Amino acid sequence: MKSFSDSYKAAGVDVTAGYKSVELMKEYVAKTVTNGVLSGIGGFGGLFEIDTTGIDHPVLVSGTDGVGTKLKIAMLLDKHDTIGIDCVAMCVNDIICCGAKPQFFLDYIAIGKNYPEKVAEIVSGVAEGCVQSGCALVGGETAEHPGMMPEDDYDLAGFSVGVVDKAKILKPDTQKAGDVMIGIKSSGVHSNGFSLVRKVFDINNKESISKYYDELGTTLGEALLTPTRIYVKAILALLDSVKVKSISHITGGGFYENIPRSLPKGISAKINRSDVQVLPIFDLIAKTGNIPERDMFNTFNMGVGMTVVVDKADVDKAIEVLKASGEDAYVLGELVESDEGVIIN
């Protein structure tokens, strides 16, 4: 007998809409299948067999995150096919900081009312993020929450697992004064600081993000919705080519919070402000909101989505590999003996 419940539907939850969502998203999920996938979506758990070939001592690395209030921009523009990329990026970009290769991903969508086409659109972005990072979308959950949020609202979170050989886990304590920090460009604001962005531009309707800015070459809304860059494949190529000492994913907290997380005690990153290739969107945010530069660097990525530290002798090779992988990278600063964490002058 086909599953349905008129009583549950009257209470605001349409289980048949959930089934339709699953059918619509299957084509996107299929694009993410890798050799390790042992089960399709729809079961009680996603089965994945990790390939440990060439790994002497496998260690699992997990990461979970959401997209935050960037979702408001997607809702205002009624464009939901890229926000899933952000969700994947926030998880897999963290995992790669340990030197691990992401293996699989799961998502969780809480939605006021299940519109199957809308859910499928969200999942299409999640699937694209998985393709970009080389991991499989092995499952997820869509939960209809009537009364908990407006019908058109939703929240999106994700979870990913990667694997690394224990001997190859990055060891930040190998860093020393004189090592070089390389910055890898971001695609924009990524997925952090949107509460401040929305306050600065008084974003509360579609009209508030429809203004075109010459310096952006697009409307504010389009610029803000640009997906978070996924660095997995470029970093994996880098790890195979040079000795990487540490990696930082520049997310919420900007430079001042994230870079010190990958530095040993007594070592700081010294960065010349003039060397930071700040993207126009950040200049616009600072100018419009009259935000002090210290706060900007403590909130946003400022155009640097990820940093890696290598020995001075490996700098040219590292940048060459990153550029060959499609990333724009440059020398951002150097490590010095200090307890300040980050020094920008």
Side-chain angles (χ1 to χ4, degrees), residues 71-139:
L71 288 171
K72 282 292 184 182
I73 310 300
M75 293 175 197
L76 290 174
L77 292 177
D78 194 24
K79 187 178 188 304
H80 313 283
D81 61 339
T82 61
I83 206 73
I85 299 175
D86 293 285
C87 188
V88 176
M90 295 305 292
C91 298
V92 297
N93 283 346
D94 277 355
I95 286 176
I96 199 69
C97 289
C98 299
K101 179 181 180 181
Q103 300 291 305
F104 60 84
F105 187 86
L106 296 95
D107 61 16
Y108 178 86
I109 304 169
I111 193 164
K113 181 175 177 61
N114 189 337
Y115 298 102
E117 291 78 12
K118 183 176 180 178
V119 171
E121 189 178 356
I122 296 169
V123 174
S124 73
V126 175
E128 173 60 24
C130 288
V131 169
Q132 290 184 23
S133 57
C135 67
L137 179 56
V138 297

Side-chain angles (χ1 to χ4, degrees), residues 53-240:
T53 303
I55 301 177
D56 294 326
H57 191 153
V59 175
L60 298 181
V61 182
S62 60
T64 184
D65 209 338
V67 182
T69 61
K70 183 174 184 175
L71 288 171
K72 282 292 184 182
I73 310 300
M75 293 175 197
L76 290 174
L77 292 177
D78 194 24
K79 187 178 188 304
H80 313 283
D81 61 339
T82 61
I83 206 73
I85 299 175
D86 293 285
C87 188
V88 176
M90 295 305 292
C91 298
V92 297
N93 283 346
D94 277 355
I95 286 176
I96 199 69
C97 289
C98 299
K101 179 181 180 181
Q103 300 291 305
F104 60 84
F105 187 86
L106 296 95
D107 61 16
Y108 178 86
I109 304 169
I111 193 164
K113 181 175 177 61
N114 189 337
Y115 298 102
E117 291 78 12
K118 183 176 180 178
V119 171
E121 189 178 356
I122 296 169
V123 174
S124 73
V126 175
E128 173 60 24
C130 288
V131 169
Q132 290 184 23
S133 57
C135 67
L137 179 56
V138 297
E141 173 71 9
T142 301
E144 199 168 13
H145 287 175
M148 288 287 288
M149 58 179 69
E151 286 190 355
D152 290 333
D153 280 11
Y154 63 93
D155 196 10
L156 175 64
F159 171 83
S160 188
V161 170
V163 65
V164 61
D165 195 323
K166 188 174 182 178
K168 295 183 179 180
I169 295 174
L170 300 189
K171 300 176 178 60
D173 58 1
T174 62
Q175 296 171 105
K176 64 183 186 305
D179 285 342
V180 176
M181 177 168 285
I182 295 170
I184 309 176
K185 278 194 173 182
S186 70
S187 56
V189 183
H190 282 184
S191 300
N192 301 101
F194 273 84
S195 293
L196 179 55
V197 170
R198 290 187 300 113
K199 180 177 184 295
V200 166
F201 295 102
D202 192 23
I203 295 174
N204 50 45
N205 53 47
K206 186 174 182 179
E207 288 67 34
S208 61
I209 52 176
S210 296
K211 182 178 178 180
Y212 182 92
Y213 288 88
D214 289 335
E215 57 266 53
L216 301 180
T218 183
T219 65
L220 177 62
E222 290 170 327
L224 293 177
L225 201 57
T226 301
T228 304
R229 191 133 183 102
I230 292 177
Y231 301 103
V232 172
K233 292 181 179 179
I235 293 296
L236 289 175
L238 183 65
L239 291 169
D240 284 340

Side-chain angles (χ1 to χ4, degrees), residues 267-287:
I267 294 293
S268 297
K270 184 178 180 181
I271 299 169
N272 291 326
R273 169 62 179 83
S274 59
D275 289 338
V276 183
Q277 297 179 17
V278 178
L279 295 176
I281 184 65
F282 298 109
D283 290 329
L284 180 62
I285 292 170
K287 179 182 178 181

